[in-house]
Amino acid sequence: WIKANGKFMRPLCQVVAKGRGYYQGIIVSRRGTNIKTIADLRGKHFAFVDRNSTSGFIYPNKVLEQNGISPLRDFREISFAGSHSQCFEGVLTGLYDGAAMSDIVLTNAKTKDQAEKDLTILARTEEIYPYPISLAQSLDTELTKIVQELLIGLKENAKGKLILEKLGERLNIRHFAQLTKKK
């Protein structure tokens, strides 16, 4: 059981993005600059996604601190870009010297190719596991099991595959899987 908004919820399944059940935050700079390590970000303009982003703020701050960087003290300027793709574009265009974002940004072929050519990944965060899909504990156990089977089974039929294709385009959801425990 998990607790959300003060209520106990029954976890059903997990979202799988990019063929795996987790994602990571990445700290990047533009290739061809003098920024080759996290230490080189001192005195630079750095972008985060927003203060509530797990992979675009919270976990990267931990990595920065572990590498002796205090964002409030060591960056010349901090921006909140608003989205992972805006961090990506901002580094590519030179608006930001470095940025923190989710590696999910690199899942489509265009951004992956552009990142390999134009970005340097300075660091990766530890694995981040998405919150599971959950239903209220008060729902009937049989109904809960049916919903779980439907979500996990979407990848097994034509209509389900179409639904997953749309979820993939919009939310990078590839499919739903049985819950696994974090390593």
Side-chain angles (χ1 to χ4, degrees):
W1 301 100
I2 59 173
K3 196 170 186 178
N5 298 323
K7 297 180 182 178
F8 282 99
M9 307 291 283
R10 184 188 321 251
L12 298 179
C13 57
Q14 65 188 41
V15 172
V16 176
K18 253 182 27 171
R20 58 187 187 184
Y22 66 90
Y23 59 102
Q24 291 176 286
I26 54 175
I27 297 173
V28 301
S29 65
R30 194 172 68 255
R31 201 175 298 266
T33 67
N34 62 352
I35 302 170
K36 309 284 187 242
T37 68
I38 289 180
D40 296 333
L41 290 168
R42 270 193 181 80
K44 304 294 186 198
H45 185 182
F46 193 84
F48 293 103
V49 174
D50 66 53
R51 293 179 196 277
N52 296 313
S53 175
T54 306
S55 60
F57 183 73
I58 297 168
Y59 278 59
N61 266 312
K62 183 177 172 183
V63 171
L64 290 166
E65 290 285 341
Q66 289 169 341
N67 284 274
I69 298 283
S70 172
L72 294 177
R73 185 183 66 236
D74 294 330
F75 292 140
R76 174 178 44 86
E77 184 177 354
I78 295 173
S79 293
F80 291 96
S83 74
H84 299 277
S85 58
Q86 287 175 316
C87 280
F88 179 83
E89 290 297 325
V91 172
L92 289 177
T93 62
L95 179 62
Y96 313 122
D97 298 305
M101 66 190 84
S102 172
D103 68 351
I104 292 173
V105 169
L106 310 180
T107 59
N108 80 44
K110 181 182 177 190
T111 56
K112 184 177 181 180
D113 289 346
Q114 192 166 20
E116 287 175 359
K117 186 177 78 166
D118 297 326
L119 291 183
T120 299
I121 297 175
L122 303 172
R124 288 182 173 274
T125 69
E126 63 187 89
E127 296 172 354
I128 303 167
Y129 289 81
Y131 293 109
I133 304 294
S134 304
L135 292 177
Q137 176 187 8
S138 60
L139 285 178
D140 175 77
T141 305
E142 189 59 32
L143 177 60
T144 301
K145 187 175 179 178
I146 290 169
V147 173
Q148 180 184 40
E149 289 172 359
L150 284 170
L151 288 172
I152 293 171
L154 283 174
K155 63 185 176 189
E156 305 301 325
N157 64 66
K159 284 188 179 182
K161 288 177 183 176
L162 288 174
I163 292 168
L164 289 171
E165 185 177 314
K166 293 292 180 194
L167 288 172
E169 290 169 7
R170 296 190 179 147
L171 301 172
N172 199 43
I173 294 173
R174 299 295 179 236
H175 61 90
F176 299 94
Q178 292 288 338
L179 289 171
T180 58
K181 295 194 184 215
K182 189 173 176 179
K183 298 177 195 174

